[in-house]
């Protein structure tokens, strides 16, 4: 069998890939060695900017299969009939650490799912927790700065982490999640995924509903203690990537069952919690889980860079029947995610195979830019409307319109009957067993006791006291004991 010919980027054959061209034997290298210069220049540019958040990730392809009729709530075609399957790509990730970080750390996990539907790609960008630390996107850069490496010390600092939380009482609910037993999943296969935000579904009659997504792992939830995680990181920093890769290669395909909570749009105004507040959940007693379908991962990427690092998810990628809600964090992410990918990957990142639609035809007037692959021809116009049979609008909205009223300005979110920053954190604490409470308190105290400023410690303790008297008392005593040692 003939060997393949090594070529330059322009396709010219390479004569010698072992020796650089020099001025005589042992002489200096020649600037005219095009192959050497191209090879070194390309090598220097192999890395693209890593994600500011969710840098460390793993991913796999699979499918979503509808198991229950939800056409009464949404007209989305990929959910239109029981048994219908849609190809998917799911990217898991940690949030705070860099690309070289370890997998088994205490951190929320990204759960970003791309549906390659017949009506275009639908991206559902969530986490493995149903809530988040903040409720307004204007605080997001500050929050992330506080959680990532300090500019001076070059490492995550408890002073920064807890100082931000001291000034963000709404974070108490998510802190309770993060410091609890589910803060370090045993693997990506053994954790739930959530849309976290509130989204809008619209049915064929134009009726609007607000929904929350819950992907329940069919492998069972399994988590690691802090000691177990530290031991695992020492053995394999890529533990979750290893587990996911090997499971799928063995044919042990992980799966999740998708449920949704459905709220009629008319309920939102008078619901006891603000239904668009990302720091809150909807109790299942108010809006029970309704099964939708099954997500299965059955194929590993062939190239991690091309298919995991270059995978781009944008929550503004909706399909007919699904749209946004007034959730302020979601509203901010509708811009921020796509803009991050335009910076990292270029304006034409949607042309990359992992991001391109599978069956839907892309037909618009986007042109040019770095890495453009769809530039049109002499017969195509790059403006609209035109008289040359170019693509035109449908006039059909993706989702129902949202009613708005009031004055423009920098308003706080509207308060509902039970809207405070601590009630649901207290409810979560009270649901825990004694053993779970003990581990939660130990995890919080381990970090909070390292804070150097007493006032920052006191502010955080006040949040736990406000959530539940016993919760606050236990954390305060544990912090005091550690600081006295």
């Amino acid at each position: 069998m003939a060997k393949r010919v090594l070529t330059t980027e322009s396709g010219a054959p390479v004569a010698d890939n072992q020796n650089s061209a020099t001025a005589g034997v042992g002489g200096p290298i020649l600037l005219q060695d095009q192959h050497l210069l191209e090879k070194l220049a390309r090598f220097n540019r192999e890395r693209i900017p890593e994600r500011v958040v969710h840098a460390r990730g793993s991913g796999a392809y699979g499918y979503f299969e509808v198991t229950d009729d939800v056409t009464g709530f949404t007209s989305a075609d990929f959910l239109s009939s029981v048994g219908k399957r849609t190809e998917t790509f799911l990217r898991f990730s940690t949030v705070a650490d860099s690309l070289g970080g370890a997998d088994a750390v205490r951190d929320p996990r990204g759960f970003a799912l791309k549906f390659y539907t017949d009506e275009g790609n639908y991206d559902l960008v969530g986490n493995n927790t149903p809530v988040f630390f903040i409720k307004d996107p204007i605080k997001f850069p500050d929050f992330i700065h506080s959680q990532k490496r300090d500019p001076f010390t070059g490492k995550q600092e408890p002073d920064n982490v807890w100082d931000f939380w001291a000034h963000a009482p709404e974070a108490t609910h998510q802190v309770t999640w993060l410091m609890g037993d589910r803060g370090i999943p045993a693997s990506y296969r053994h954790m739930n995924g959530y849309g976290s935000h509130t989204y809008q579904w619209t049915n064929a009659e134009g009726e609007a509903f607000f929904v929350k997504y819950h992907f329940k792992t069919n492998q069972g939830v399994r988590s690691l203690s802090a000691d177990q995680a530290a031991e695992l990181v020492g053995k394999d920093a890529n533990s979750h990537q290893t587990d996911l890769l090997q499971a799928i290669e063995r044919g042990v395909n992980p799966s999740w069952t998708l449920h949704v909570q459905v709220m009629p749009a008319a309920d939102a105004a008078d619901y006891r919690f603000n239904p668009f507040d990302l720091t809150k959940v909807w109790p299942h007693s108010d809006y029970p889980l309704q099964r939708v379908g099954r997500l299965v991962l059955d194929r590993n990427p062939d190239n991690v860079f091309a298919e995991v690092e270059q995978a781009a998810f944008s929550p503004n990628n909706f399909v007919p029947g699904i749209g946004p809600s007034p959730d302020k964090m979601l509203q901010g992410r509708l811009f921020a995610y796509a803009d991050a990918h335009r910076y990292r990957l270029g304006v034409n990142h949607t042309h990359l195979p992992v991001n391109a639609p599978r069956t839907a035809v892309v037909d618009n007037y986007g042109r040019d830019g770095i890495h453009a692959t769809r530039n049109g021809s002499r017969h195509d116009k790059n403006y609209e409307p035109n008289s040359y049979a170019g693509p035109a609008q449908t006039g059909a909205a993706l989702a129902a319109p949202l009613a708005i009223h009031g004055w423009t300005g920098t308003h706080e979110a509207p308060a509902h009957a039970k809207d405070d920053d601590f009630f649901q954190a207290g409810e979560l604490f009270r649901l825990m067993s004694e053993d779970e409470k003990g581990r939660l308190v130990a995890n919080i105290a381990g970090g909070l006791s390292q804070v150097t400023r007493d006032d920052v410690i006191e502010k955080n303790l006040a949040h736990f006291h406000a959530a539940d008297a016993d919760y606050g008392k236990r954390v305060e005593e544990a912090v005091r004991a550690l600081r006295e040692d």
Side-chain angles (χ1 to χ4, degrees), residues 16-344:
D16 191 338
N17 195 44
Q18 313 303 317
N19 302 287
S20 303
T22 60
V25 177
I29 288 176
L30 297 173
L31 185 61
Q32 71 183 40
D33 190 340
Q34 183 264 347
H35 176 51
L36 170 66
L37 299 186
E38 179 182 83
K39 192 173 182 181
L40 293 179
R42 181 173 181 83
F43 177 76
N44 288 344
R45 292 161 176 80
E46 279 185 358
R47 295 296 174 263
I48 61 175
E50 72 172 42
R51 289 168 168 87
V52 178
V53 288
H54 297 282
R56 170 65 189 156
S58 301
Y61 293 95
Y63 63 86
F64 178 79
E65 181 178 9
V66 179
T67 58
D68 294 76
D69 183 9
V70 291
T71 55
F73 306 119
T74 179
S75 60
D77 180 70
F78 79 101
L79 299 174
S80 62
S81 60
V82 172
K84 185 161 189 170
R85 286 190 177 186
T86 300
E87 185 182 357
T88 61
F89 183 79
L90 176 58
R91 185 179 188 270
F92 305 98
S93 56
T94 53
V95 174
D97 213 343
S98 61
L99 183 59
D103 287 342
V105 294
R106 189 172 300 279
D107 200 15
R109 299 301 191 278
F111 193 95
L113 181 60
K114 188 181 296 292
F115 297 85
Y116 300 101
T117 88
D118 293 338
E119 298 179 300
N121 290 350
Y122 171 45
D123 289 352
L124 182 59
V125 182
N127 285 324
N128 71 327
T129 60
V131 293
F132 196 61
F133 298 93
I134 54 176
K135 62 181 76 173
D136 194 303
I138 203 166
K139 301 174 74 169
F140 188 74
D142 298 297
F143 164 64
I144 294 300
H145 287 165
S146 75
Q147 308 297 300
K148 292 183 77 71
R149 296 176 185 270
D150 182 85
F152 172 63
T153 66
K155 61 190 182 72
Q156 192 180 55
E157 290 293 345
D159 275 351
N160 301 348
V161 171
W162 289 96
D163 185 37
F164 182 89
W165 289 341
H167 292 88
E170 72 267 29
T172 308
H173 192 186
Q174 173 73 323
V175 170
T176 305
W177 268 90
L178 179 63
M179 297 299 174
D181 280 359
R182 296 193 181 190
I184 313 178
S187 78
Y188 289 133
R189 296 182 298 127
H190 293 93
M191 69 181 196
N192 294 335
Y194 300 89
S196 301
H197 296 289
T198 300
Y199 294 90
Q200 186 202 78
W201 277 8
T202 308
N203 65 18
E205 288 71 43
E207 295 177 287
F209 303 86
F210 293 118
V211 300
K212 283 187 175 288
Y213 294 87
H214 301 250
F215 290 86
K216 299 291 188 179
T217 175
N218 294 324
Q219 291 71 237
V221 173
R222 286 179 47 205
S223 303
L224 302 172
S225 68
D227 290 342
Q228 290 172 325
E231 181 179 356
L232 182 57
V233 167
K235 292 178 178 178
D236 181 7
N238 306 301
S239 57
H240 290 27
Q241 163 70 11
T242 301
D243 175 85
L244 181 67
L245 176 74
Q246 293 182 351
I248 294 175
E249 288 297 294
R250 295 196 311 270
V252 181
N253 297 329
S255 66
W256 289 258
T257 300
L258 171 62
H259 300 80
V260 292
Q261 290 178 282
V262 181
M263 174 188 290
D267 290 8
D270 298 321
Y271 186 49
R272 56 190 176 128
F273 305 109
N274 180 351
F276 311 118
D277 181 347
L278 186 55
T279 69
K280 303 288 194 302
V281 297
W282 303 352
H284 294 180
S285 56
D286 294 346
Y287 296 98
L289 295 179
Q290 302 189 45
R291 192 175 65 176
V292 179
R294 185 171 65 115
L295 171 67
V296 179
L297 300 182
D298 60 4
R299 179 166 66 90
N300 284 311
D302 290 325
N303 185 290
V304 172
F305 174 79
E307 298 166 88
V308 179
E309 277 308 294
Q310 293 194 132
F313 300 86
S314 302
N316 59 354
N317 287 339
F318 292 114
V319 292
I322 303 178
S325 79
D327 179 336
K328 292 178 85 172
M329 283 295 293
L330 173 60
Q331 293 283 324
R333 284 172 169 160
L334 296 180
F335 163 75
Y337 274 63
D339 190 58
H341 301 311
R342 294 183 193 107
Y343 163 67
R344 292 183 61 245

Side-chain angles (χ1 to χ4, degrees), residues 2-8 11-15:
K3 285 188 177 181
R4 293 160 55 191
V5 174
L6 178 67
T7 73
T8 64
V14 173

